[in-house]
Amino acid sequence: MSPAWTASWTQAVTDVGVAGLELRDVTVRITVEAGVGGERLRAGLSNRFGTTPLHVGRAAVRVDGRAAPMRFGGRSAVDVPAGEDLVCDPVDLAVVAGAEVEVDLYLPGPWRYATANVSTATWHPSAPGDHAGSDDFPGRATPELTLPDGAEMELPAPVLRDVEVLRDVPTPVVVCLGDSITAAGWPERTARRLRDRQVAVVNRGIAGNRLRLDGAGPFGPVFGASGRSRFDRDVLATAGRTHVVVALGVNDLGHPGTMAPEDQLPTAEQLVRALDGIGARARDAGLSVLTATVTPFDGAEGFDRERELRRAEVNEWIRGLGSGVVDFDAALRSGPGAIALDPRFDSGDHLHPGDAGLDRMADVAAEVLGRSV
């Protein structure tokens, strides 16, 4: 069998132009963890939500301290047109699972920070100038965004959409389609648990994402297109994809009346139809489908008894699917019959799992995937 490109790390990108940041004469270093290894690598860049071309003056990639230039059609510089993605030429650096991969992009600018997404990647801008591939990177603090409630968050890593590796031996690639709970990193933690089996578990989570409808409110563009409408580009376009885990629905229930109009609250039947539709599309494309139960959110903003009844009805349908179920609800709630996150797993907002909760999700996902891949 000839070598094939395989997704090792991914993110789903959204429109983050609300940050109002401009990048000029700066090198950004984006650090990710390789999920699986290969003989060569390549990186995918995205300017999907930019309004002007993204000019990359020079780029380099480093793997565990070994550096090599990135080229684009043999050139060291490239313009990524507004609204488009681009993949660099293959880079002759071998990668092992768990390796730290650093992608350096020198952006002469000006470029409006527009395409990014909350993910497990970390990034830092440099002091002014071209520092691509530098052993002594002059990193600066990651810029922050002030949220409507006054809280601050680090801006997510720009431009980088995926890192792929070239492999002689095929490996399963599990694409995780989800919201902020997925973006927080249970797929990467799952990949570590399956590392000995060489299984890629890659992340296509978007904070605030919904299953049926696009994001609404001031942060609607950041919350992204609905899971079902981005399915082709974020799942089917993932290199080597063999499986998909669909972990969406809690924002469909929690956002109406808070971040979205009240009349967008779906019935349980509407959520089931949407999940069933995604599953059918995935199977038609040759993927194995796993569906995650909708996680508890009692005590979080947007919760009420009627929404809980709808969540329970959706989860009952999901559990009826049989072996292709990842039961995050049962894993995270405080006990049989409970409707809230176990305090041990709660980040504090009664919606998002903390580190212990993400580890618990990874344990459950790894167990199910271990029987499926």
Side-chain angles (χ1 to χ4, degrees):
M1 183 174 291
S2 60
W5 289 103
T6 302
S8 184
W9 176 91
T10 67
Q11 76 165 338
V13 294
T14 61
D15 184 348
V16 295
V18 67
L21 177 68
E22 185 177 88
L23 300 175
R24 179 195 299 263
D25 189 27
V26 66
T27 305
V28 297
R29 171 164 287 179
I30 305 161
T31 305
V32 304
E33 180 181 317
V36 292
E39 297 176 352
R40 308 171 86 190
L41 66 83
R42 65 184 185 185
L45 311 182
S46 181
N47 191 26
R48 184 175 299 151
F49 301 100
T51 56
T52 59
L54 166 66
H55 179 63
V56 179
R58 196 167 71 90
V61 62
R62 294 166 51 89
V63 178
D64 287 337
R66 296 171 290 124
M70 289 169 57
R71 300 193 181 278
F72 308 87
R75 303 184 303 274
S76 59
V78 70
D79 286 330
V80 184
E84 296 188 17
D85 300 335
L86 182 147
V87 179
C88 77
D89 301 341
V91 178
D92 288 324
L93 280 178
V95 185
V96 297
E100 184 175 84
V101 179
E102 296 170 321
V103 176
D104 292 353
L105 306 171
Y106 173 54
L107 309 178
W111 180 71
R112 174 178 168 269
Y113 174 91
T115 303
N117 178 34
V118 175
S119 73
T120 54
T122 60
W123 75 286
H124 296 280
S126 71
D130 178 359
H131 305 281
S134 172
D135 289 335
D136 188 19
F137 187 78
R140 298 292 187 263
T142 304
E144 292 188 332
L145 172 66
T146 301
L147 302 175
D149 62 3
E152 292 188 332
M153 62 169 284
E154 287 190 349
L155 289 175
V159 180
L160 185 64
R161 185 165 186 263
D162 40 47
V163 173
E164 299 172 355
V165 296
L166 191 64
R167 291 179 57 86
D168 286 324
V169 179
T171 191
V173 177
V174 182
V175 187
C176 302
L177 185 72
D179 48 37
S180 57
I181 296 173
T182 296
W186 65 260
E188 288 83 351
R189 296 173 191 231
T190 303
R192 291 173 200 143
R193 286 156 172 77
L194 296 173
R195 186 162 292 162
D196 289 346
R197 298 184 58 172
Q198 288 292 300
V199 177
V201 186
V202 297
N203 197 328
R204 295 290 194 191
I206 295 177
N209 202 228
R210 293 191 284 180
L211 170 66
R212 296 178 60 252
L213 301 175
D214 297 348
F219 280 82
V222 181
F223 294 160
S226 69
R228 61 182 179 182
S229 65
R230 65 185 178 93
F231 178 80
D232 286 2
R233 70 169 178 261
D234 282 344
V235 177
L236 297 188
T238 300
R241 79 290 190 279
T242 58
H243 297 66
V244 62
V245 179
V246 182
L248 285 164
V250 70
N251 291 326
D252 295 68
L253 294 170
H255 281 189
T258 56
M259 299 181 184
E262 181 76 36
D263 62 7
Q264 291 185 358
L265 179 64
T267 64
E269 182 182 3
Q270 287 173 319
L271 286 174
V272 165
R273 276 204 308 269
L275 289 170
D276 197 34
I278 283 183
R281 289 165 64 188
R283 285 186 288 272
D284 286 346
L287 275 68
S288 296
V289 182
L290 297 97
T291 308
T293 50
V294 181
T295 50
F297 69 114
D298 182 13
E301 187 178 26
F303 177 85
D304 61 32
R305 183 63 183 170
E306 177 56 36
R307 297 171 201 234
E308 173 58 26
L309 291 173
R310 297 182 191 193
R311 185 182 77 90
E313 187 175 340
V314 172
N315 283 347
E316 183 179 5
W317 176 84
I318 292 171
R319 292 187 179 105
L321 295 174
S323 60
V325 176
V326 185
D327 202 343
F328 288 150
D329 169 54
L332 294 175
R333 49 191 162 100
S334 51
I339 61 172
L341 287 173
D342 187 315
R344 295 174 299 167
F345 302 142
D346 191 346
S347 68
D349 66 2
H350 311 303
L351 170 65
H352 297 93
D355 278 337
L358 294 170
D359 280 337
R360 176 66 176 143
M361 296 175 76
D363 289 340
V364 171
E367 182 180 353
V368 176
L369 286 168
R371 299 191 297 263
S372 305
V373 297

